[in-house]
């Protein structure tokens, strides 16, 4: 019994002590699992490595272009350029950034950059607007003819147009000559309507005449009966032939006593214009625009030729027009003059011309009256352009403003690509020249070891860099930076075409730093002052504040209303920049008859006994000794004596003694010439051709 009870107590003790024996092991196992779980939980919390955004950069990027490439806004670029040499106060979205600033902005933004390849072409869909295909002949309707009046300056073109439309345009033109291309709709007494283009006849406006010839159906060539065929007459004939436009000859000023119409027709034969009386197909009408004689015959000839040409146009569909002229109006903004060629132009139409677009807000005729629509061959002024397009562009109507922006963006992209290709060609050419120069410099050192070659290059570079002038030194070459302003785009183009023909860059450098349409502004004056240049304005004004600013900053403000006066003023200013020319004029000549020696103190002086042949010898001027055809000596004389008296001058026929400074070997028969140096103002060799 006691044995049984003791065994039961031992079993209870064993059961009660079992958990105590296993507890440390279970804790140890539990702790290992927790540690393992912690290690596994840490792994998902590690941040994965993120690739940096790559930004494609190129030289000459603007701040806005960099922000777009980084997919950020303009303010982000400004913040990235803090604490850099960049001038953030003057930084604008269109400001061009230096290469170091572009790279710094990308790196500070946590991105990496790569340079864009100039030759890399991106395939972009062509979003350009195109002309419509020819319309169905059944849809065409008759339209008035577009007639361009062309000819030499002062042959009566504008007077003829005044007589046809009963106006007085000549009285409003500066200098009495036409300096703009004008478009007018004239209704004849018989009811026919004709659109006339009046082109300038001055030699400077060749581009305007060419633009008028390509926008017309018929050319009326005005030739003065007393003057005959002149330079611009021949040029107008060439423009008409290039545009393949028929010609009607209007022999003007037939009321003058010295008029000779037959001579005019014979002179035209030499230039391929054969009148009807000589077996050709060109009509020749004798008129007097001032008195209005025979104008009805000219109008009938124009209408008859238009009927033969069967001029028709499609009045439906999108508008197509040609831009004749563009200008900036203070109240209306950019204004263009267009001739409608196809479709019906109305208010609200969205137009594209070049890299500019417009939503038409107003339409005005040539008299300034508002119109609701313009049919083919009509001339209207269009208001609503976002920017000022260039004259001569083709105007096309598109569906919406979004489509217009696409067209402008595509054309801008194409222009930029052409510019990049041109820059790439220039870079490759410069690299090729640099490589050739590099090889040429190292060719003589090819036989040396690398140590000897390195030492020789070091010495050569040291000498070259020591002789290189400072980059901060200003150039001594004369130059004239220009700011050009004009009233219309065609005038600005004319001035730029004239300056393109400047061929005296070796005498005085001529640079156009800015040009634009509109009155002279303070920015124009400040830009000219920065570059030390002048402002030239054609048919524009300058406010009182602008004039005072130009006077304070020392900027020459040249405003003209006549083209040849502006060019003449420019030639005068170019001539004033040239250094004066030194010219020698002979005052007198003397022949050496004998040479003798005179003692002056302890020194013996060689004296040439001379006789003055012509003019006079002036002791204060310079002399030269001529032997045969060679100049042996040139300088000043010490003494000039007549007998034993010192004299200031020796006149013709007098005998005198001449002693000079220095050792000069006189010989009998030598000629002593007295000359005077004068500074004569130089005149530029540039000839604009009129």
């Amino acid at each position: 019994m006691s044995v049984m009870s003791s065994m039961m107590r031992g079993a209870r003790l064993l059961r009660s002590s079992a958990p105590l024996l296993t507890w440390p092991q279970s804790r140890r196992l539990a702790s290992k699992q927790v540690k393992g779980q912690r290690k596994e939980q840490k792994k998902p919390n590690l941040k994965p490595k993120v690739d940096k955004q790559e930004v494609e950069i190129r030289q000459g990027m603007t701040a806005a272009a960099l922000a777009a490439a980084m997919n950020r806004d303009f303010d982000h670029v400004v913040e990235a350029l803090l604490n850099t040499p960049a001038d953030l106060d003057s930084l604008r979205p269109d400001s061009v950034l230096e290469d170091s600033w572009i790279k710094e902005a990308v790196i500070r933004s946590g991105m990496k950059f790569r340079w864009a390849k100039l030759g890399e072409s991106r395939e972009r869909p062509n979003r350009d607007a195109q002309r419509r295909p020819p319309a169905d002949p059944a849809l065409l309707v008759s339209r008035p003819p577009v007639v361009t009046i062309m000819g030499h300056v002062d042959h009566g073109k504008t007077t003829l147009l005044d007589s046809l439309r009963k106006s007085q345009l000549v009285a409003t033109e500066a200098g009495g000559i036409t300096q703009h291309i004008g478009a007018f709709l004239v209704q004849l007494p018989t009811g026919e309507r004709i659109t006339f283009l009046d082109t300038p006849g001055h030699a400077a406006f060749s581009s305007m005449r060419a633009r008028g010839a390509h926008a017309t159906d018929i050319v009326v060539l005005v030739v003065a009966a007393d003057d005959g065929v002149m330079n611009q007459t021949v040029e107008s004939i060439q423009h008409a032939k290039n545009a393949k436009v028929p010609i009607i000859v209007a022999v003007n000023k037939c009321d003058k006593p010295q008029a000779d119409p037959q001579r005019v027709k014979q002179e035209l034969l030499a230039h391929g214009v054969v009148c009807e009386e000589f077996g050709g197909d060109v009509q020749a009408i004798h008129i007097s625009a001032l008195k209005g004689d025979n104008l009805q015959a000219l109008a009938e000839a124009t209408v008859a030729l238009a009927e033969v040409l069967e001029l028709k146009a499609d009045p439906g569909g999108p508008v197509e027009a040609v831009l004749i002229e563009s200008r900036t109006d203070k109240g209306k903004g950019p204004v263009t003059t267009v001739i409608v060629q196809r479709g019906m132009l109305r208010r609200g139409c969205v137009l594209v011309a070049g890299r500019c677009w417009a939503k038409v807000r107003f339409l005005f005729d040539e008299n300034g009256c508002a119109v609701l629509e313009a049919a083919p061959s009509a001339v209207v002024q269009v208001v609503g352009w976002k920017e000022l397009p260039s004259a001569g562009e083709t105007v096309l109507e598109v569906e919406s403003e979004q489509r217009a922006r696409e067209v402008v963006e595509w054309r801008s992209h194409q222009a930029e690509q052409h510019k990049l290709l041109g820059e790439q060609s220039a870079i490759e050419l410069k690299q090729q020249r640099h490589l050739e120069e590099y090889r040429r410099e190292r060719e003589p050192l090819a036989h040396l070891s690398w140590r000897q070659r390195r030492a020789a290059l070091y010495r050569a570079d040291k000498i070259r860099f020591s002789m290189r002038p400072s980059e901060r030194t200003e150039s001594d070459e004369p130059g004239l930076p220009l700011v050009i302003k004009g009233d219309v785009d065609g005038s600005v183009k004319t001035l730029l075409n004239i300056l393109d023909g400047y061929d005296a860059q070796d005498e005085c450098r001529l640079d156009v730093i800015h040009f634009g349409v509109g009155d002279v502004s303070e920015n124009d004056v400040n830009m000219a002052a920065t570059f030390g240049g002048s402002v030239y304005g054609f048919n524009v004004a300058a406010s009182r504040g602008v004039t005072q600013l130009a006077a304070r900053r020392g900027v020459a403000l040249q405003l003209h209303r006549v083209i040849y006066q502006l060019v003449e003023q420019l030639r005068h200013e170019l001539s004033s920049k040239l250094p004066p020319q030194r010219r020698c004029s002979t005052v007198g000549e003397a022949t050496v008859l004998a040479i003798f020696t005179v003692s002056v103190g302890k020194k013996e002086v060689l004296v040439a006994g001379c006789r003055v042949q012509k003019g006079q010898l002036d002791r204060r001027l310079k002399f030269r000794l001529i032997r045969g055809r060679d100049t042996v000596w040139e300088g000043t004389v010490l003494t000039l004596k007549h007998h034993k008296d010192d004299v200031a001058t020796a006149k013709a026929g007098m005998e005198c003694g001449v002693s000079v400074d220095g050792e000069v070997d006189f010989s009998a028969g030598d000629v002593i010439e007295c000359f005077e140096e004068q500074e004569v103002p130089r005149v530029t060799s540039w000839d604009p051709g009129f």
Side-chain angles (χ1 to χ4, degrees), residues 17 35 44 185 322 340 489 541:
S17 61
K35 287 181 181 179
L185 184 64
V322 59
V340 181
D489 182 72

Side-chain angles (χ1 to χ4, degrees), residues 332 362-373 379-381:
K332 303 174 184 176
F362 299 103
L363 295 174
F364 298 95
D365 60 10
E366 68 272 15
N367 299 317
C369 300
V371 295
L372 298 179
E373 60 183 20
V379 180
V380 288
Q381 297 180 12

Side-chain angles (χ1 to χ4, degrees), residues 619-623 633-638 659-661:
R619 181 179 175 181
R620 296 164 295 183
L621 302 179
K622 288 188 175 183
F623 290 75
W633 166 86
E634 185 175 317
T636 58
V637 299
L638 291 177
S659 62
V660 301
D661 186 11

Side-chain angles (χ1 to χ4, degrees), residues 570-588:
L570 178 59
R571 293 186 74 249
H572 177 72
E573 187 168 1
L574 286 169
S575 300
S576 66
K577 297 286 184 180
L578 301 178
Q581 187 177 9
R582 303 184 72 86
R583 182 177 298 174
C584 297
S585 58
T586 302
V587 178

Side-chain angles (χ1 to χ4, degrees), residues 478-584:
L480 179 59
L482 288 182
V483 174
I484 302 295
K485 297 301 288 287
D487 55 343
V488 295
D489 182 72
S491 300
V492 176
K493 281 187 174 181
T494 297
L495 292 174
L496 294 179
N497 289 338
I498 294 173
L499 297 180
D500 284 342
Y502 181 73
D503 54 0
Q505 292 285 359
D506 54 336
E507 296 179 350
C508 180
R509 190 180 66 257
L510 182 64
D511 298 320
V512 179
I513 56 177
H514 176 67
F515 61 88
V517 178
D519 290 343
V520 180
S521 63
E522 293 184 359
N523 291 335
D524 300 327
V525 175
N526 291 331
M527 184 176 296
T530 302
F531 289 89
S534 303
V535 179
Y536 277 75
F538 179 66
N539 269 330
V540 295
S543 64
R544 187 174 181 181
V546 172
T547 305
Q548 293 175 351
L549 177 64
R552 287 198 307 270
R553 305 207 61 178
V555 175
L557 194 60
Q558 307 291 348
L559 305 179
H560 295 273
R561 298 187 62 197
V562 182
I563 187 72
Y564 57 80
Q565 293 179 357
L566 184 147
V567 176
E568 190 61 33
Q569 176 65 39
L570 178 59
R571 293 186 74 249
H572 177 72
E573 187 168 1
L574 286 169
S575 300
S576 66
K577 297 286 184 180
L578 301 178
Q581 187 177 9
R582 303 184 72 86
R583 182 177 298 174
C584 297

Side-chain angles (χ1 to χ4, degrees), residues 267-293:
E267 290 177 352
L268 289 173
L269 288 173
H271 304 285
V273 179
V274 184
C275 298
E276 290 178 337
E277 60 184 275
F278 295 118
D281 56 353
V282 177
Q283 303 179 76
I285 313 298
H286 299 178
I287 64 170
S288 173
L290 188 62
K291 295 184 177 181
D293 296 342

